[in-house]
Amino acid sequence: MHQTIVQLGEPILRKQTKMLSIQEIESKEVQDLIETMKETMRKAPGVGLAAPQIGKNLQLAVIEDRKEYTDHFPQHILNERQRVPVEFHVIINPTLTILDPTPLFFFEGCLSLAGICRITPRANRVRVECLDENANKKIIEATGWYARILQHEIDHLNGKLFIDHADQKTEIVLNEMTRKKWLQASQKDIYEYYLEHVKK
Ligand code: ZN
């Protein structure tokens, strides 16, 4: 069963989440929660969902970037975002290390800020140490869009949202058509638009 996704303005999105013990991870309650989060993320659809987004104050997130989500994207746009499919997986009690801080500027959105996207800089490469759904230790190294997703989801576990990273003078895109346009725009077009119309 999928759940309603909590929207901006609910205090749970701003709370520091609690770590899970191995016993808790193995419990039926948490295993059921992971299933609910998977279904909720797929139904939305989204490429990641953190526990606070369905009202659970826990250091747990699910991630999955399916090929079908980007079938209609031109290949050069995917290349520029370094966006490749990512299989479903769970991150629990993650710690994030920035391996390459070079910022990549793209429009980013969030299921908890429905309809909004904004230019958000993210580090190019990260390492995440975490536990998986079986409480096994896992190390993930990721670049590009997957690194962006990891940074976004781990932010949620620390009460942060993508709007906290965006330049305060960055465009907010609300309309569905302009959102589609900017989510598939080249970095050059985004930067030129920003310099010409926003930052001036
Ligand atoms: Zn989000």
Side-chain angles (χ1 to χ4, degrees), residues 1-196:
M1 267 291 282
H2 66 92
Q3 287 253 321
T4 305
I5 296 174
V6 170
Q7 294 298 304
L8 179 65
E10 289 292 341
I12 188 143
L13 291 176
R14 290 308 196 172
K15 282 187 181 153
Q16 179 65 44
T17 52
K18 289 186 293 205
M19 286 181 78
L20 286 160
S21 68
I22 289 174
Q23 256 181 341
E24 284 171 318
I25 295 168
E26 289 170 343
S27 70
K28 182 170 182 336
E29 199 186 345
V30 169
Q31 292 298 315
D32 288 349
L33 174 63
I34 290 169
E35 203 50 42
T36 300
M37 287 172 65
K38 183 204 271 183
E39 287 173 32
T40 304
M41 172 177 67
R42 285 181 175 171
K43 176 127 199 313
V47 296
L49 187 78
Q53 293 182 277
I54 57 164
K56 301 286 181 190
N57 191 32
L58 300 170
Q59 287 198 21
L60 164 63
V62 294
I63 291 173
E64 180 183 48
D65 195 359
R66 303 174 84 137
K67 187 181 171 297
E68 68 210 57
Y69 296 159
T70 55
D71 275 345
H72 55 292
F73 280 56
Q75 190 58 46
H76 71 277
I77 293 299
L78 295 177
N79 293 347
E80 199 176 50
R81 283 163 176 71
Q82 302 173 70
R83 185 164 176 179
V84 290
V86 177
E87 278 186 21
F88 176 83
H89 67 94
V90 177
I91 58 172
I92 296 171
N93 304 341
T95 56
L96 179 104
T97 310
I98 305 288
L99 299 181
D100 175 6
T102 309
L104 298 180
F105 291 83
F106 287 110
F107 276 88
E108 185 172 316
C110 176
L111 297 174
S112 291
L113 285 86
I116 298 175
C117 66
R118 207 171 175 188
I119 300 170
T120 308
R122 294 287 187 185
N124 182 41
R125 186 163 176 80
V126 299
R127 176 173 43 229
V128 173
E129 291 178 47
C130 62
L131 299 176
D132 68 11
E133 68 275 28
N134 301 312
N136 292 322
K137 277 191 186 154
K138 197 172 164 181
I139 295 177
I140 301 165
E141 291 200 359
T143 308
W145 205 257
Y146 182 25
R148 176 176 294 268
I149 297 169
L150 286 163
Q151 290 168 81
H152 180 115
E153 297 312 325
I154 292 170
D155 270 356
H156 272 302
L157 306 183
N158 295 308
K160 284 184 88 173
L161 300 166
F162 76 96
I163 47 173
D164 303 338
H165 294 282
D167 177 343
Q168 292 308 303
K169 214 172 173 311
T170 291
E171 202 80 311
I172 297 171
V173 176
L174 293 163
N175 172 276
E176 200 183 334
M177 274 173 66
T178 47
R179 197 167 73 235
K180 269 189 189 147
K181 173 180 132 184
W182 286 115
L183 285 174
Q184 295 180 39
S186 71
Q187 192 159 36
K188 182 170 165 285
D189 287 347
I190 293 170
Y191 196 58
E192 279 176 6
Y193 176 86
Y194 176 72
L195 288 181
E196 188 176 347

